[in-house]
Amino acid sequence: MKFSKKSRYGLRALIDLSVNSKKDHVALSSIAERNGISLQYLEQAFASLRRAEIVKSIKGPQGGYLLNDKAENITVASILQALDGNYRIEPEESLEDGSQPEIIQTIQKVIIDKVNEELDEILKNITLEDLEKEYLAYSGYEQDMYYI
């Protein structure tokens, strides 16, 4: 399995949105700028995320985006599904002449089905909140906050 550029950029943008939208909506242009992603590319990704109801948009000149649910309720599986459709390994195709179907069934059952089951288990159990916490730990974000 390989993550597409759309999925990688979408995940980066959603982590950024999750971190920066605690008090107010966030302009897509600021997400694009902070992450070095083309605004046009992000607009396409966020259209998919909006259709999947992962994010919601605020219209107008001061508009932007918010998460449509708590980060703890948004799974990586749902994000990848919204951005790229099926993220699973495609089923083994049958041979054109119909010979050796047992080999195809063996590959499908022993490898592909097991990989897909594990992949589902992993991606359905990682949330946007998990990604946000890991990002904050790596970036030292919380250390730079000052309280009065």
Side-chain angles (χ1 to χ4, degrees):
M1 184 200 145
K2 183 178 177 184
F3 281 161
S4 70
K5 183 184 277 190
K6 187 176 182 181
S7 287
R8 289 175 187 268
Y9 285 177
L11 285 166
R12 285 168 49 187
L14 283 173
I15 293 168
D16 184 293
L17 179 64
S18 186
V19 168
N20 292 296
S21 67
K22 300 297 183 201
K23 295 180 182 172
D24 201 9
H25 55 276
V26 178
L28 204 54
S29 59
S30 63
I31 295 172
E33 186 177 318
R34 279 191 296 271
N35 291 280
I37 302 170
S38 156
L39 178 59
Q40 291 78 17
Y41 202 87
L42 270 189
E43 286 171 345
Q44 293 174 10
F46 270 65
S48 298
L49 294 168
R50 196 174 53 248
R51 280 190 299 274
E53 299 182 353
I54 292 173
V55 298
K56 59 184 171 184
S57 62
I58 309 296
K59 305 258 186 224
Q62 299 300 317
Y65 284 88
L66 294 168
L67 295 176
N68 201 37
D69 199 352
K70 294 178 183 175
E72 66 194 46
N73 297 329
I74 301 171
T75 66
V76 171
S78 67
I79 296 167
L80 296 179
Q81 187 77 34
L83 292 169
D84 278 333
N86 189 5
Y87 57 81
R88 303 176 86 204
I89 298 173
E90 295 294 321
E92 183 72 12
E93 294 182 22
S94 53
L95 301 173
E96 290 179 19
D97 64 3
S99 62
Q100 299 293 330
E102 297 84 7
I103 290 176
I104 293 168
Q105 291 171 351
T106 300
I107 292 168
Q108 183 66 43
K109 183 178 180 185
V110 175
I111 300 171
I112 296 173
D113 289 348
K114 286 184 179 182
V115 169
N116 282 335
E117 288 171 17
E118 292 296 319
L119 185 59
D120 279 341
E121 182 69 22
I122 292 166
L123 296 179
K124 287 179 179 178
N125 286 299
I126 300 173
T127 66
L128 184 55
E129 180 183 50
D130 297 328
L131 296 174
E132 178 186 345
K133 286 179 180 177
E134 192 71 20
Y135 163 72
L136 292 174
Y138 277 125
S139 68
Y141 186 82
E142 295 170 348
Q143 294 174 358
D144 295 338
M145 298 185 94
Y146 298 99
Y147 299 95
I148 298 176

